[in-house]
Amino acid sequence: MISIELGNDDRLYVQAVQHMLRLYPGVGGAHISLRFEVSRQSDAPTASPFKVSALLYLCGTSGQDQKLLGALEVEQPVSPQVRSSQLELVGFVSDEQLRVIEELRRGDDVHLYANVTVTSVVGDPPILHVKSGGGRFHIGVGEWLKQLEQVDAGTFIEVLVPMVGGADFAIATEELRKARTLLRQNNIEAALLGARKALEPIRKAERTAAIQRKTLERERANPERLVEEKRTLPERFAFIVEDLARALSGAMHKDPVTKTFEYTRGDAVMLVAATAGVLVRVAEQRRWSSTAEG
């Protein structure tokens, strides 16, 4: 519950209700609605109506590291009394913000913080009266996913790549940004070239070509059937990276085989997203390694 001191021994109470969240499709994002019950400590039938607004933040389970999502407001002034009534705050969140929420929540509930401000005019002569207060609440996983499905936020998937230390990774992420920009411009072959450049420093750092070569040498010396099924997880990832590099290279080289290759936008989206996925995996591995060493 959010409790806001109004003066004269009066307070405003704002409390989340069950199924408080609603998302509706919008251009480039979603209309967001949060429903509350609002009441005040003392009845004031002659008091001026309130204009209610809020800043909405995404936060971690500990309440730290708050990230601003945007502003919410009530479309009409409200006149809350002791008996509670419904209050709806509305705003807008972009598709990119929804994807960031998905990345940060990692399958958990969505934890939010609302800093609510009430504005009214009091006294004679009239004086602008502004008070605020904040509180945390969470949206359960099931409720969040149900609302997210309604806005088709997953129709266009963008893989978020965290930043980690290392010059090679900095080069890779910069090239991936270029590839993403080129893809947005529908410059397909240039985008694929950028993704291929992003992949190269990671191939070198992770020695994926050497891992693949040694794996194939071991398998050629083994007469058993389905010997490839005995590959370790690092070996399987190395094959994925190398196959991805070969698929991307078709846009770079025009040899007798690749000169006939024609990549669609769908091909480019898949390959650029796959490259981003490789960078995410490497970033996670390096973060774990850094934590273990620390």
Side-chain angles (χ1 to χ4, degrees):
M1 176 185 291
I2 300 172
S3 176
I4 302 174
E5 189 273 323
L6 299 175
N8 297 323
D9 295 323
D10 197 8
R11 305 189 73 85
L12 187 72
Y13 301 108
V14 182
Q15 184 171 2
V17 301
Q18 189 176 19
H19 307 305
M20 65 180 298
L21 173 72
R22 293 291 186 273
L23 294 177
Y24 305 95
V27 177
H31 170 96
I32 182 172
S33 164
L34 294 177
R35 295 185 302 119
F36 298 88
E37 285 187 349
V38 59
S39 61
R40 62 191 304 167
Q41 185 169 297
S42 304
D43 273 330
T46 61
S48 300
F50 293 132
K51 178 68 175 179
V52 183
S53 61
L55 291 177
L56 185 64
Y57 297 83
L58 178 71
C59 56
T61 55
S62 63
Q64 303 300 315
D65 194 26
Q66 295 180 352
K67 295 178 173 60
L68 179 65
L69 284 178
L72 306 175
E73 62 180 16
V74 178
E75 295 180 348
Q76 301 293 334
V78 296
S79 299
Q81 302 300 324
V82 171
R83 184 175 180 179
S84 63
S85 57
Q86 291 286 313
L87 174 72
E88 183 181 25
L89 288 162
V90 298
F92 185 85
V93 291
S94 68
D95 284 335
E96 184 173 357
Q97 286 176 304
L98 291 173
R99 289 191 288 264
V100 171
I101 293 173
E102 283 300 278
E103 175 67 19
L104 294 178
R105 76 180 184 87
R106 292 182 174 270
D108 197 359
D109 293 347
V110 176
H111 296 267
L112 300 172
Y113 178 88
N115 185 26
V116 178
T117 298
V118 294
T119 306
S120 63
V121 177
V122 298
D124 187 15
I127 299 174
L128 192 65
H129 194 65
V130 181
K131 294 290 185 177
S132 63
R136 295 180 65 239
F137 52 93
H138 78 278
I139 309 297
V141 174
E143 183 178 357
W144 172 253
L145 293 178
K146 179 181 178 181
Q147 295 301 318
L148 198 62
E149 288 173 358
Q150 295 183 136
V151 299
D152 292 329
T155 300
F156 300 98
I157 298 173
E158 182 173 353
V159 180
L160 298 176
V161 179
M163 293 299 298
V164 297
D168 60 338
F169 201 88
I171 293 170
T173 51
E174 179 60 27
E175 292 295 342
L176 187 64
R177 286 194 192 98
K178 294 177 183 177
R180 182 182 62 181
T181 300
L182 289 164
L183 185 56
R184 286 173 175 169
Q185 298 168 353
N186 211 38
N187 195 338
I188 293 173
E189 289 203 356
L192 293 174
L193 176 59
R196 181 65 178 80
K197 290 180 178 178
L199 198 61
E200 191 58 26
I202 302 303
R203 290 180 67 222
K204 291 181 179 179
E206 302 299 314
R207 302 181 67 249
T208 54
I211 294 172
Q212 185 186 58
R213 184 174 61 255
K214 290 181 179 179
T215 303
L216 291 172
E217 290 174 355
R218 185 188 70 229
E219 291 175 354
R220 281 194 289 267
N222 190 333
E224 296 181 17
R225 292 179 63 253
L226 302 177
V227 65
E228 64 274 7
E229 294 186 1
K230 296 184 179 180
R231 292 172 187 168
T232 65
L233 187 58
E235 289 172 346
R236 296 180 187 215
F237 277 117
F239 273 77
I240 290 172
V241 172
E242 289 302 300
D243 286 344
L244 178 58
R246 290 187 180 90
L248 289 165
S249 294
M252 298 174 59
H253 307 297
K254 296 302 178 184
D255 57 41
V257 175
T258 60
K259 68 180 182 180
T260 62
F261 287 5
E262 293 185 8
Y263 292 86
T264 68
R265 180 176 176 80
D267 295 334
V269 169
M270 182 193 77
L271 293 170
V272 171
T275 303
V278 170
L279 298 190
V280 170
R281 181 175 183 271
V282 171
E284 193 170 73
Q285 286 180 319
R286 293 187 180 184
R287 186 166 57 243
W288 287 343
S289 176
S290 176
T291 302
E293 290 175 0

